Amino acid sequence: EPSRDITADIKTILTSLQQTSVAISDIKLCNKDILGRLTSMETHLTESDERLSAAEARIMMLTSTVADLRDKIDDQENRARRNIIRILGFPEGVEQEALPMLLKLPTGMDLSLERAHRSLAPRPGQRLRPFIIKLLRFPVKELLLRSARDLGTLEWEGHKILLFLDLSRALQNRRQQFLSVKRILRDKMIKYGLFYLATLWVTYKGTTSSFATAEEAEKFVKTL
């Protein structure tokens, strides 16, 4: 009968609505759980970002501190070496007697040596061990180096003699970065000098400029 069919349909609809309502409630609960998890994840991510930022700041601070300490140690090392000269080319046993004559120093001049000795072993490719002298007075060291520069090529009994500052490895590397710039300046016959610690002075058309890094010097040279 029609009335029974309508009643059955209504019951079916009500049952479906109840089931839908239950499903919606389940979805709401599920969404609430998901939202809670997302909120928790966002909180954890925020905390992680904060910890990461703090760690990065700490690393930057420690990196800066290590760099400062390295610079101070390097500075102390070079200060300890400031009166030392390394000499290459002298045959064994004639160094101290030959040096004043080689550099044409005044007769009887007191070099005020604190100590003089050979290095333990020659570097690869060197036949003679470097001769190392430490002077008591800085002006005497400057005089020896200046005399060597003024005389140009130095030779003793057929041996080419070279005088070098005794520098830390880090400072040597800094000074070596100027090699390409110095080569260009020599080719252009422009007066220059690499001064302690590692500063390049260039004199061009009566004006002298100084450069603390090779990059600055290269930019300047390109404008000449």
Side-chain angles (χ1 to χ4, degrees):
E1 296 178 358
S3 59
R4 290 181 179 178
D5 292 340
I6 292 172
T7 301
D9 291 340
I10 291 173
K11 287 181 178 180
T12 300
I13 292 170
L14 290 174
T15 300
S16 297
L17 288 174
Q18 288 176 348
Q19 292 174 346
T20 302
S21 178
V22 171
I24 291 173
S25 297
D26 291 341
I27 291 172
K28 287 182 177 180
L29 289 173
C30 183
N31 286 342
K32 184 177 181 180
D33 181 61
I34 292 173
L35 182 60
R37 293 186 181 185
L38 288 174
T39 302
S40 177
M41 290 175 63
E42 288 178 352
T43 301
H44 286 305
L45 286 173
T46 300
E47 293 174 351
S48 296
D49 287 342
E50 291 175 352
R51 287 196 296 269
L52 180 60
S53 297
E56 289 176 344
R58 179 70 173 170
I59 289 171
M60 290 180 63
M61 183 187 70
L62 291 174
T63 301
S64 176
T65 300
V66 169
D68 289 342
L69 290 174
R70 186 184 294 115
D71 289 343
K72 289 179 180 178
I73 291 172
D74 188 61
D75 179 66
Q76 290 298 320
E77 182 179 355
N78 284 298
R79 286 179 183 274
R81 298 181 179 201
R82 70 192 302 264
N83 284 356
I84 297 177
I85 297 177
R86 300 177 70 90
I87 305 173
L88 300 180
F90 268 132
E92 301 271 349
V94 300
E95 308 90 355
Q96 295 187 48
E97 296 78 8
L99 188 59
M101 290 184 285
L102 177 71
L103 298 179
K104 295 180 171 50
L105 301 177
T107 303
M109 177 181 175
D110 180 16
L111 295 182
S112 300
L113 294 178
E114 180 178 334
R115 65 174 181 268
H117 62 89
R118 291 277 181 172
S119 65
L120 295 178
R123 293 181 179 178
Q126 289 180 346
R127 291 180 297 174
L128 298 173
R129 293 182 299 164
F131 179 54
I132 301 170
I133 60 174
K134 183 172 184 180
L135 300 122
L136 292 172
R137 294 184 293 145
F138 180 77
V140 175
K141 186 206 79 169
E142 290 294 287
L143 173 62
L144 298 183
L145 293 174
R146 185 168 59 252
S147 298
R149 285 195 299 268
D150 293 343
L151 291 170
T153 302
L154 301 175
E155 287 191 5
W156 180 263
E157 297 181 353
H159 297 275
K160 185 176 181 180
I161 310 300
L162 301 171
L163 276 69
F164 297 98
L165 291 170
D166 190 49
L167 306 173
S168 68
R169 175 60 60 184
L171 185 53
Q172 288 182 46
N173 292 338
R174 284 174 56 191
R175 293 171 70 91
Q176 286 175 356
Q177 292 175 3
F178 289 96
L179 288 177
S180 61
V181 179
K182 289 163 60 179
R183 190 178 302 113
I184 295 172
L185 292 171
R186 280 197 302 271
D187 293 341
K188 293 187 175 184
M189 301 183 69
I190 297 174
K191 185 178 179 181
Y192 71 89
L194 184 59
F195 294 91
Y196 190 83
L197 297 165
T199 301
L200 182 70
W201 290 74
V202 180
T203 301
Y204 182 67
K205 292 184 177 180
T207 301
T208 300
S209 305
S210 63
F211 306 95
T213 66
E215 291 77 11
E216 294 175 352
E218 287 173 357
K219 290 180 181 178
F220 175 76
V221 169
K222 289 178 180 178
T223 65
L224 302 181

